[in-house]
Structure formats: structure tokens, C-alpha cells
Amino acid sequence: MNHNEKKKIWQEMGSYLTAVFIGVIVMIPFLWMLSTSFKSKGALMQIPVQWIPKEPSLDAYRTVFSRFPLLRAIGNSFLITGSYTVVTILSASMAAFAITKIKFPWAESIFKLYLASMMIPTQVTLIPLFVIMNKLGLINTYPSVILPSLFRAFAVFMLVQQMRSIPNDFMEAARIDGAGIFRIYGRVIMPLTRSAIATLTVTTFMESWNDYLWPLLMLSDKNKMTLTLALNSLNGQYGTEYNLLMAGSLISMVPIIIIYACAQRYFKSGLMSGGVKG
């Protein structure tokens, strides 16, 4: 084994060790959260910190489910997040398909307006959106939380980059076989953009599932509150029961982990296509 091969091996080992070290550091907050959720209230503030609880208990999980209708909040979150994600994928993919594959006047100008809207902070649009929802009589309803997903500039941008890489020959072949525009969209273009759609599904689901501010503004009925609003009720005025909060947070992470595990093989390729193609 020559000097260059030894040097390469040591460099690879150094890279792997560095990655493992960074991974361990990143996992420390999650491990603390997991450990805290199994602790009793008296063991929370013990010094030194008990990374492995001496007397692990499920009391925190039982209390979370008994203190408020957590299952109802989880169901509300699934309803809102699922609808928000589906509407985002449909509206963004149709807009991207129209911009890239249907030649109509001002297509590029409209796309540039989409890109320009990404520079507007979300907080700036909260008051106008609230006024619109109030005028429509949608305050304290599920549609008020879901309807903003009709316009998602980043989603359109990502899918435009992916669809631009699809040769128009596929569309021409479908037209020769007698396919209409919607059939081409559903049977040709959508399957060819599944990596970008999978990535967009994961990111949109995570964003909507963890959203707190917009549901807080729209939903005042406790029976309609999302999981993030329910978890916020665990923060008391004079103190916080961290074991309950960590237990609830772990429960809220499960759907995101499952969604990511199912779509992870498309996630990397989708991000790369959205970032470098165009």
C-alpha cells in the first residue's frame, strides 16, 4: 500500500468520524427529550442529569391524553395537514404544468411574479389574509387554515424546475395516441415528477403539521385546535411540566418520521432537481 492510498484511507476515516461526531451532537436534544418524557416530575431537575431514568414511567403520556382531547387534536392536525398538502401539490403542479408545457402569453412574467412573492415575509401577509377570511365568514373553520395552500410560490418554483427537464416529446407522443391535456398532466407529467412531488409532500407536511401562528389566529374553538395548539396549553402561566411537554412533542413527531421514512429515497433527488435544474 503506497503513501497516497494510506492518505486516502485516513481522510475517509476522518470524514466518517467527523460525521459520526456531528450526528451524536445533533441527537443529544432528541435523546434528552426522550429521556425527559419517561421521567417523573421530581426527577426532572436532578443534578447530575439522568440520561437514563432510574425509574422510567409512562405517567407523562397518560397525563397528556387525559388532560385534554389529544386524539381529537391529532385528528384535526391530520385533517388540516393532509388537506393542505394535497391542495398544495395539486395547485402547484397545475401552475407549473401551465407555465412550462402550455404556451400562453406572459407565462414567464407570471413565473417571475411567483418568484418575487417569495421575498415577501409571511408575517406581512397575515393581516390581509385574516381580513379576507373574515370577509368570507371562514374564521374558526378548517378551510380558513387550508385555503392559503392554494398559492405556494416555492412549490411552484420547485416543480417548474423539474418539469422543464422533461422533454416535450413525451407530450407529443401522448397527443398522437389521443390523450387530452388533463390526461397528459395526470398520466405523463405527474409520474415523471414524482421525486420532486415526494420532496414537496414531505416539506409541506412538516410545515403545515408544525404551524402554530396561523391556526392560532384562525381557530378559537378548542374542539378544532391542532396538535401544536394543544401542546402549547401544556405551558402553564407560572411553570412548565417538561415531562408532559416532551411526551406530547414526541407524539407529534411520529407522523413526520413516518412520512419521511416512506419518501426518503425520493427526497434527495427531488431537492437536487429543484435546486440545479432550470
Side-chain angles (χ1 to χ4, degrees):
M1 184 179 296
N2 56 40
H3 176 72
N4 291 334
E5 291 178 343
K6 290 182 178 180
K7 184 178 180 180
K8 185 178 180 180
I9 291 174
W10 281 108
Q11 287 178 345
E12 291 180 354
M13 290 180 62
S15 299
Y16 286 130
L17 290 174
T18 302
V20 170
F21 177 73
I22 294 174
V24 170
I25 293 177
V26 171
M27 286 295 294
I28 287 177
F30 177 78
L31 294 175
W32 183 84
M33 178 189 297
L34 182 63
S35 173
T36 302
S37 69
F38 289 103
K39 291 179 181 179
S40 62
K41 188 174 181 180
L44 288 176
M45 300 301 177
Q46 286 189 358
I47 302 296
V49 176
Q50 295 181 10
W51 288 98
I52 301 177
K54 294 181 179 179
E55 298 179 0
S57 173
L58 294 175
D59 290 342
Y61 293 90
R62 297 190 188 99
T63 304
V64 165
F65 279 95
S66 64
R67 180 163 295 186
F68 51 79
L70 187 65
L71 291 178
R72 180 65 180 269
I74 293 174
N76 293 338
S77 288
F78 269 115
L79 174 62
I80 292 173
T81 302
S83 302
Y84 190 97
T85 303
V86 170
V87 172
T88 296
I89 297 300
L90 288 176
S91 62
S93 61
M94 287 182 180
F97 177 70
I99 291 171
T100 56
K101 300 304 180 184
I102 301 177
K103 304 302 181 182
F104 66 94
W106 309 106
E108 286 300 319
S109 298
I110 292 174
F111 181 57
K112 290 177 182 178
L113 287 176
Y114 268 83
L115 296 182
S117 68
M118 294 173 62
M119 303 177 188
I120 302 174
T122 304
Q123 292 78 5
V124 175
T125 64
L126 290 179
I127 294 178
L129 275 176
F130 182 88
V131 173
I132 291 173
M133 294 303 170
N134 189 36
K135 293 289 185 180
L136 294 175
L138 296 177
I139 299 296
N140 198 31
T141 63
Y142 295 129
S144 65
V145 186
I146 299 169
L147 285 178
S149 63
L150 285 170
F151 181 81
R152 301 285 298 159
F154 175 75
V156 175
F157 167 72
M158 175 177 283
L159 293 179
V160 162
Q161 307 314 306
Q162 178 76 9
M163 290 185 184
R164 278 178 174 170
S165 67
I166 300 174
N168 292 330
D169 296 340
F170 289 101
M171 294 182 60
E172 296 300 327
R175 285 197 183 100
I176 292 173
D177 291 336
I181 192 69
F182 286 102
R183 191 177 182 87
I184 293 172
Y185 161 77
R187 296 294 183 89
V188 178
I189 300 299
M190 291 295 281
L192 292 174
T193 58
R194 60 181 178 271
S195 59
I197 289 174
T199 302
L200 189 58
T201 298
V202 174
T203 55
T204 304
F205 189 94
M206 291 174 59
E207 179 183 353
S208 178
W209 184 267
N210 293 323
D211 191 17
Y212 172 76
L213 182 57
W214 185 242
L216 178 65
L217 293 175
M218 290 293 103
L219 303 176
S220 57
D221 188 351
K222 290 185 177 180
N223 290 324
K224 296 178 180 179
M225 66 179 178
T226 61
L227 186 57
T228 52
L229 298 181
L231 292 179
N232 183 64
S233 65
L234 295 175
N235 290 316
Q237 182 177 1
Y238 301 106
T240 300
E241 297 179 81
Y242 289 102
N243 55 341
L244 303 185
L245 188 60
M246 295 302 104
S249 299
L250 282 171
I251 293 172
S252 70
M253 290 171 59
V254 172
I256 296 177
I257 294 173
I258 293 175
I259 291 292
Y260 179 78
C262 294
Q264 63 176 330
R265 64 174 180 166
Y266 301 110
F267 194 79
K268 182 179 179 181
S269 59
L271 284 178
M272 291 178 64
S273 64
V276 302
K277 292 180 181 177

